[in-house]
Amino acid sequence: MSERITIKSQREIEAMKAAGAVVRDTLLLLEKSAAVGVTTEELNRIADDYIRSCGAIPSFLNYEGYPKSICTSVNEQVVHGIPGGYKLKDGDILSVDVGAILNGYHGDAARTILIGNVKEEVKKLVEVTRECFFKGIEQAVAGNHIADISAAVEACAKEHGYGVVRDLVGHGIGTHMHEPPEVPNFADRARGRGPRLYPGMTIAVEPMINLGTADVAVLKDGWTVVTRDAKPSAHYENTIAITTGKPEILTL
């Protein structure tokens, strides 16, 4: 992670928007491709092929040793699930996290996809997680603080009785995939309001919301994060730019 918050020029934001478009279209392709019987490794190959066909590089591949091009997290897996031989089943939910580097700039976004006939309570979790993102970015305006985004995400989730993951947070993004500042999905009162938001800041806001407890654990593979109570988790993320008005979503 680079050491300071960087303010991007309009040219840099346009470059990030181009990377974001690759991520957006990869996610749309994965949403069409994910179905009962498809393996998560097949989805990884589809994503890798598409990202490279756009002249971009998968951000995640070999990042700190991560072995695949996307993350595929099923049901109680929160994030960082490694694609492999798992065949998607009717009723699963699949969180896919995609990053791409294009001309030196990163885009990063995630979606949770419904596979077949998903239980109503789990569908609601996925819908509310998306809603948490949009509630959060209502506060992503110049002059506000990171904590204003965090508090709005947390309030939306807690209104429905969901657990808000505290061990993982959103982040700044630009020429590095992870840059300052951290963007928690909860109000960290011990650390105050966090950095002030200025036009030209680019951040990844990514609610990770659990049906049950907020507590998580990491599997023996050293990557896959799961809920401690084995209840489902959903993930929704976009890269955004702070402007003089409403934030601009660079991956939609």
Side-chain angles (χ1 to χ4, degrees), residues 67-89:
K68 298 291 182 175
S69 297
I70 62 172
C71 299
T72 53
S73 306
V74 182
N75 298 331
E76 76 280 3
Q77 297 176 352
V78 181
V79 286
H80 305 161
I82 300 173
Y86 180 83
K87 289 185 177 180
L88 295 171
K89 296 181 176 65

Side-chain angles (χ1 to χ4, degrees), residues 37-118:
V38 174
T39 68
T40 53
E41 179 58 50
E42 288 175 81
L43 297 175
N44 181 76
R45 178 186 52 75
I46 288 166
D48 185 275
D49 288 349
Y50 181 76
I51 290 168
R52 293 181 191 280
S53 77
C54 297
I57 301 166
S59 298
F60 301 164
L61 184 62
N62 299 319
Y63 182 78
E64 295 185 354
Y66 185 76
K68 298 291 182 175
S69 297
I70 62 172
C71 299
T72 53
S73 306
V74 182
N75 298 331
E76 76 280 3
Q77 297 176 352
V78 181
V79 286
H80 305 161
I82 300 173
Y86 180 83
K87 289 185 177 180
L88 295 171
K89 296 181 176 65
D90 186 57
D92 281 346
I93 58 170
L94 170 70
S95 295
V96 285
D97 197 348
V98 174
I101 316 164
L102 183 65
N103 298 322
Y105 288 88
H106 290 263
D108 186 11
R111 303 285 183 267
T112 299
I113 302 168
L114 308 177
I115 308 299
N117 301 293
V118 175

Side-chain angles (χ1 to χ4, degrees), residues 2 4 6-24 51 54-60 63 98-109 171-179 200-203 239-241 250-251:
S2 59
R4 62 187 179 86
T6 59
I7 301 298
K8 278 74 172 183
S9 66
Q10 190 56 43
R11 178 193 65 78
E12 289 179 296
I13 289 172
E14 289 302 318
M16 290 185 67
K17 198 185 298 183
V22 175
V23 171
R24 173 200 67 206
I51 290 168
C54 297
I57 301 166
S59 298
F60 301 164
Y63 182 78
V98 174
I101 316 164
L102 183 65
N103 298 322
Y105 288 88
H106 290 263
D108 186 11
H171 51 90
I173 183 170
T175 55
H176 297 78
M177 187 165 65
H178 293 106
E179 299 180 356
M201 286 174 65
T202 47
I203 57 176
T239 299
I240 70 166
L250 306 181
T251 45

Side-chain angles (χ1 to χ4, degrees), residues 4-249:
R4 62 187 179 86
I5 297 171
T6 59
I7 301 298
K8 278 74 172 183
S9 66
Q10 190 56 43
R11 178 193 65 78
E12 289 179 296
I13 289 172
E14 289 302 318
M16 290 185 67
K17 198 185 298 183
V22 175
V23 171
R24 173 200 67 206
D25 292 344
T26 304
L27 286 166
L28 289 170
L29 182 58
L30 291 171
E31 287 175 352
K32 290 177 184 174
S33 304
V36 174
V38 174
T39 68
T40 53
E41 179 58 50
E42 288 175 81
L43 297 175
N44 181 76
R45 178 186 52 75
I46 288 166
D48 185 275
D49 288 349
Y50 181 76
I51 290 168
R52 293 181 191 280
S53 77
C54 297
I57 301 166
S59 298
F60 301 164
L61 184 62
N62 299 319
Y63 182 78
E64 295 185 354
Y66 185 76
K68 298 291 182 175
S69 297
I70 62 172
C71 299
T72 53
S73 306
V74 182
N75 298 331
E76 76 280 3
Q77 297 176 352
V78 181
V79 286
H80 305 161
I82 300 173
Y86 180 83
K87 289 185 177 180
L88 295 171
K89 296 181 176 65
D90 186 57
D92 281 346
I93 58 170
L94 170 70
S95 295
V96 285
D97 197 348
V98 174
I101 316 164
L102 183 65
N103 298 322
Y105 288 88
H106 290 263
D108 186 11
R111 303 285 183 267
T112 299
I113 302 168
L114 308 177
I115 308 299
N117 301 293
V118 175
K119 291 178 181 176
E120 287 302 320
E121 67 169 358
V122 181
K123 276 188 191 176
K124 183 182 174 188
L125 170 71
V126 174
E127 290 166 5
V128 170
T129 301
R130 181 181 183 278
E131 182 185 340
C132 286
F133 168 84
F134 285 100
K135 289 291 186 184
I137 69 163
E138 284 177 8
Q139 302 301 318
V141 293
N144 274 2
H145 292 74
I146 289 291
D148 296 315
I149 300 173
S150 306
V153 170
E154 181 179 49
C156 180
K158 291 205 163 180
E159 184 182 330
H160 297 275
Y162 297 146
V164 180
V165 175
R166 300 177 74 89
D167 294 43
L168 302 143
V169 296
H171 51 90
I173 183 170
T175 55
H176 297 78
M177 187 165 65
H178 293 106
E179 299 180 356
E182 290 190 342
V183 186
N185 296 306
F186 54 90
D188 189 349
R189 291 161 188 85
R191 295 178 61 185
R193 300 189 69 194
R196 187 181 293 275
L197 300 172
Y198 291 95
M201 286 174 65
T202 47
I203 57 176
V205 179
E206 51 177 321
M208 290 160 272
I209 309 299
N210 299 346
L211 189 62
T213 179
D215 296 338
V216 298
V218 181
L219 297 184
K220 288 180 181 177
D221 63 21
W223 285 102
T224 309
V225 178
V226 298
T227 58
R228 282 200 179 272
D229 60 6
K231 290 185 178 179
S233 181
H235 187 195
Y236 189 89
E237 174 186 21
N238 283 299
T239 299
I240 70 166
I242 307 302
T243 73
T244 53
K246 291 182 178 180
E248 184 174 10
I249 302 176

